[in-house]
Amino acid sequence: MKKFIKIILIASFILFLFNNMWTMFKTKEGIDSPLWIQFALLISYLVSAIVTYKSKWFGFFSIFVVGVLLMLVSILVSF
């Protein structure tokens, strides 16, 4: 039961991130925050992805990779 709840939470978070990326592509607007905050979030997502990959938590690794993609899309759309 605990694993089932974990899978549902991870899947819903991934869907949320993909929805945000799709909205950014459609509206051509990034995250409504300064560029330096977006770079800070990108670095934190990247560090978290590396740490979770080394810890072999591949579910969380995939979430952080999608977070990195989200921030990259936001930065690219903001320019």
Side-chain angles (χ1 to χ4, degrees), residues 31-41 71 75 78:
I31 295 174
D32 193 24
S33 60
L35 210 53
W36 68 271
I37 291 177
Q38 294 181 30
F39 278 115
L41 287 172
M71 295 313 300
I75 291 169
S78 294

Side-chain angles (χ1 to χ4, degrees), residues 7-61:
I7 290 171
I8 289 175
L9 289 175
I10 290 172
S12 63
F13 188 68
I14 289 173
L15 287 174
F16 172 74
L17 289 176
F18 278 128
N19 183 34
N20 283 340
M21 285 193 307
W22 178 252
T23 303
M24 280 190 256
F25 275 127
K26 294 292 278 185
T27 61
K28 301 293 186 208
E29 294 179 5
I31 295 174
D32 193 24
S33 60
L35 210 53
W36 68 271
I37 291 177
Q38 294 181 30
F39 278 115
L41 287 172
L42 174 66
I43 291 170
S44 67
Y45 275 133
L46 193 59
V47 168
S48 299
I50 291 169
V51 168
T52 55
Y53 181 76
K54 287 185 177 184
S55 299
K56 299 194 186 313
W57 291 3
F58 298 115
F60 289 109
F61 169 72

